[in-house]
Amino acid sequence: MQSLISEFRGIVGRRHVHVGARATRRFRRGYRQGDGPVLAVVRPGTPLEQWRVLQCCADAGVVVICQAANTGLTGGSTPDGDGYDRPVVIINTMRMAAIRLIGDGAQVVCLPGATLDGLERKLAPLGREPHSVIGSSCIGATATGGVCNNSGGALVRRGPAYTEMALFARIDAQGRLELVNHLGIDLGTGPEDILRRLEAWDVAPEDVGNGGNAAASDRDYAHHVRDVGAPTPARFNADPRRLHEASGSAGHLAVFALRLDTFAADPEPAVFYIGTNDPDELATLRRDVLSDFEHLPIAGEYLHATAFDLSRTYGKDLFWFIKRFGTRNVPRAFAVKSWIDGVTDAIGLGPRLSDHLLQGLSRLLPRQVPPRLEDWRDRYAHHLLLKTTAEGAAEARACLAGRFPSRSGDVFECDAREAEDAFLLRFAVGGGVVRYRAVHAREVEDIVALDIALPRNTADWFEVLPDEIERDLVAKQYCGHFFCHVLHQEYFVRRGVDCDVVKAKLLATLDTRGARYPAEHNFGHSYKAPEELLQFYRALDPTNSFNPGIGRATKRADWAGDLTV
């Protein structure tokens, strides 16, 4: 395989081909889970380089994992152990980050390394936004990663990231690499010509069509989420209504570009901070808002006291980093941290020394939580951040004034600083989870991380675990996108306890509640995919060359070993 590595170097340059355990560590090791040996990590700088690298991989018959920011939570963009029957090559796409506006910016074309943060900044002067805003974007996630994983995000009206307009490569049943242009944009004929024109953006207005009215977002979701009587979830990763080519492909295609809708930004939103000790109050509020409000909220983020505490204590440095340096610098900080962890691990100091050092330094940072939020934390177990448009603020105020204060809860309207800090606190929970595991490694075996979608008609939404599960946990946390009924639930399993057994028990309880999982982080190597989803993967990738093993399917060529092929 040395000749294949030489071919890669001839295409992208020696400095963009990484070989060896130390050089490949930050690419092959996942943000929360996932690791395994790789032949090489290749970082093409143009779509044409990406195509030529893919052609070499197809000719050599190796496994290809296309990776962007490597911010996934279920190990779906890294190898999973060493059980592959072919060498593994990671193609990291982050050097290809161009974003092209179509018309007045109502749509964009994103190359595979374009981040949500970069897209936010590109659209802000136009008064527009991407599908998702701060959340995943704060750790460098890409628009392509969101679409390929049907990620949902925090915004109530927009649903899962979705498009039917993509430019991608696939390997057919005969092992031939082919380029498919469904962007609705005339880029010529022949792969190399198409990709050169894409890179140069050699596109005249008349070259841009509507793709036969193909969708570039989930245009039905705002209506779909309002159906609070439906016995099915609003969104989940295996939902067949939102599986189409690149959308939901989970890496079983190689994406070169996506065409996406953008959305008008909401000026002067209002944010209400609700606290209660009665989860039924929030269930009733959710039902009434979705059923009766003229204006759907922008966001409705749930935060349990456990998540509040976790973020306040273990996400403090991430909170202040974003506050002071912005989201654009977070990926660089994570890359530096990964490099340091690789060095300390190599010299015998362990892979998590940086977490201990950063946690110690975070104690010197000033308090990040505004006083009124601290007060609400002391008084209430359940917290809801309700963000509305300026037009919807009046009906929200009237609704909340008629309900609070109650015997169990109360509400206040945030000022600008409180609103910003409340949402930053919410989105620092993910970093806090990873930090808690690192700092408490002696007590914690590992994390069982679940993201679940409850049926839209679920009233009894808050989980109460049986004692046989509780006794195996050191701690847990709950947060989520409340109006979509998507919850992120993290369980820190006690040292010495089998995490797979705990997970099986948790999933069994969720099955009795009609939940679907995962909701938006995708299956990765954490969840077993249902047969209908595996059929979708097989149709995209009949030789199982791209990201095999996703959904705990076979990693072998041609899907050998699966019960159904």
Side-chain angles (χ1 to χ4, degrees):
M1 285 294 172
Q2 189 60 43
S3 62
L4 182 59
I5 294 171
S6 297
E7 288 184 76
F8 293 154
R9 288 170 174 161
I11 295 168
V12 305
R14 179 175 289 272
R15 64 177 297 207
H16 298 302
V17 178
H18 303 276
V19 179
R22 178 80 63 83
T24 60
R25 184 183 188 277
R26 72 184 180 96
F27 302 99
R28 59 180 169 78
R29 180 170 291 192
Y31 175 60
R32 283 203 192 173
Q33 70 174 77
D35 196 2
V38 297
L39 175 68
V41 176
V42 188
R43 303 183 68 227
T46 68
L48 184 54
E49 288 182 358
Q50 181 184 0
W51 171 259
R52 289 174 176 170
V53 168
L54 284 168
Q55 188 66 70
C56 291
C57 291
D59 292 344
V62 299
V63 164
V64 174
I65 298 177
C66 292
Q67 175 194 86
N70 193 16
T71 59
L73 302 183
T74 58
S77 57
T78 59
D80 177 52
D82 56 2
Y84 298 87
D85 61 349
R86 296 152 288 171
V88 176
V89 172
I90 293 175
I91 298 178
N92 183 280
T93 62
M94 293 302 289
R95 293 179 62 217
M96 298 175 290
I99 299 166
R100 309 298 187 183
L101 301 179
I102 295 179
D104 59 358
Q107 289 187 327
V108 292
V109 171
C110 292
L111 295 195
T115 65
L116 292 173
D117 175 73
L119 189 50
E120 269 187 77
R121 289 186 279 112
K122 182 91 169 182
L123 294 173
L126 306 177
R128 301 193 69 81
E129 294 178 337
H131 165 270
S132 297
V133 296
I134 189 169
S136 297
S137 57
C138 75
I139 54 172
T142 60
T144 295
V147 168
C148 291
N149 291 303
N150 280 145
S151 300
L155 303 182
V156 176
R157 297 168 290 176
R158 299 182 191 171
Y162 180 76
T163 187
E164 296 166 3
M165 309 179 83
L167 175 64
F168 59 88
R170 66 188 297 272
I171 293 177
D172 68 15
Q174 288 70 47
R176 295 174 302 209
L177 186 71
E178 60 181 359
L179 188 69
V180 179
N181 181 9
H182 287 165
L183 284 175
I185 300 173
D186 184 359
L187 292 168
T189 59
E192 299 217 348
D193 182 38
I194 289 171
L195 297 172
R196 284 192 185 97
R197 289 185 60 186
L198 174 69
E199 171 67 20
W201 198 236
D202 180 14
V203 176
E206 59 268 23
D207 294 328
V208 181
N210 64 7
N213 293 314
S217 65
D218 187 348
R219 297 169 182 168
D220 300 326
Y221 188 76
H223 172 76
H224 184 70
V225 75
R226 282 186 181 272
D227 187 0
V228 295
T232 55
R235 55 181 168 92
F236 56 99
N237 282 132
D239 187 351
R241 64 187 286 274
R242 287 298 172 253
L243 297 175
H244 182 87
E245 295 180 344
S247 295
S249 61
H252 278 291
L253 297 172
V255 174
F256 288 84
L258 297 175
R259 183 170 167 181
L260 303 165
D261 287 335
T262 69
F263 304 85
D266 294 294
E268 300 180 356
V271 175
F272 303 89
Y273 197 99
I274 302 159
T276 182
N277 290 313
D278 181 3
D280 289 343
E281 279 194 313
L282 296 186
T284 302
L285 177 64
R286 173 186 171 273
R287 183 195 64 213
D288 293 347
V289 167
L290 292 176
S291 299
D292 301 334
F293 272 30
E294 178 184 358
H295 303 281
L296 273 179
I298 297 170
E301 287 300 293
Y302 171 71
L303 197 68
H304 188 263
T306 54
F308 189 112
D309 292 345
L310 190 82
S311 183
R312 176 174 55 180
T313 303
Y314 297 97
K316 191 176 183 182
D317 53 322
L318 178 60
F319 176 101
W320 280 116
F321 188 92
I322 296 172
K323 187 96 166 172
R324 296 295 170 86
F325 301 108
T327 57
R328 75 175 71 180
N329 291 302
V330 174
R332 295 191 190 106
F334 273 92
V336 171
K337 180 181 179 300
S338 178
W339 181 84
I340 292 171
D341 288 341
V343 171
T344 59
D345 194 21
I347 63 177
L349 296 178
R352 298 187 177 118
L353 180 60
S354 67
D355 283 294
H356 290 272
L357 294 175
L358 288 169
Q359 188 59 30
L361 290 172
S362 72
R363 298 189 182 98
L364 305 177
L365 295 172
R367 182 179 67 182
Q368 80 269 41
V369 181
R372 279 204 290 185
L373 272 66
E374 290 274 14
D375 180 44
W376 250 235
R377 165 60 190 93
D378 292 341
R379 294 165 59 183
Y380 305 115
H382 304 280
H383 301 243
L384 181 65
L385 285 65
L386 177 60
K387 186 176 185 179
T388 73
T389 62
E391 295 83 1
E395 63 181 338
R397 289 188 188 102
C399 172
L400 296 172
R403 297 167 187 259
F404 299 106
S406 67
R407 288 189 301 173
S408 300
D410 206 349
V411 63
F412 65 86
E413 187 167 350
C414 296
D415 61 30
R417 187 207 159 186
E418 288 170 331
E420 178 187 11
D421 290 355
F423 277 96
L424 269 181
L425 183 76
R426 159 66 184 90
F427 291 116
V429 171
V433 168
V434 177
R435 176 66 53 76
Y436 184 96
R437 176 181 63 177
V439 171
H440 295 277
R442 292 181 179 177
E443 299 88 36
V444 175
E445 183 69 27
D446 207 346
I447 304 166
V448 171
L450 302 181
D451 69 297
I452 68 166
L454 296 174
R456 283 165 284 173
N457 65 356
T458 300
D460 187 15
W461 62 274
F462 186 70
E463 178 179 78
V464 178
L465 293 175
D467 289 342
E468 66 169 312
I469 297 178
E470 283 281 7
R471 64 171 173 257
D472 289 334
L473 305 178
V474 174
K476 60 189 177 186
Q477 77 81 21
Y478 301 99
C479 61
H481 315 308
F482 190 66
F483 289 100
C484 299
H485 251 356
V486 168
L487 295 173
H488 303 301
Q489 306 183 166
E490 321 265 359
Y491 309 87
F492 299 94
V493 178
R494 194 175 303 281
R495 172 63 73 180
V497 174
D498 189 324
C499 293
D500 288 338
V501 171
V502 172
K503 184 174 183 177
K505 291 178 181 178
L506 288 166
L507 295 181
T509 67
L510 292 169
D511 290 340
T512 65
R513 300 169 65 196
R516 296 296 300 265
Y517 45 82
E520 61 178 4
H521 292 162
N522 221 335
F523 289 80
H525 296 286
S526 295
Y527 298 90
K528 181 175 176 55
E531 178 56 31
E532 57 269 28
L533 182 59
L534 292 179
Q535 290 177 8
F536 173 66
Y537 292 161
R538 293 183 195 117
L540 295 177
D541 182 18
T543 64
N544 203 21
S545 295
F546 288 113
N547 214 7
I550 292 299
R552 296 190 172 177
T554 179
K555 297 174 184 175
R556 295 165 62 187
D558 303 315
W559 300 89
D562 268 6
L563 295 179
T564 303
V565 178

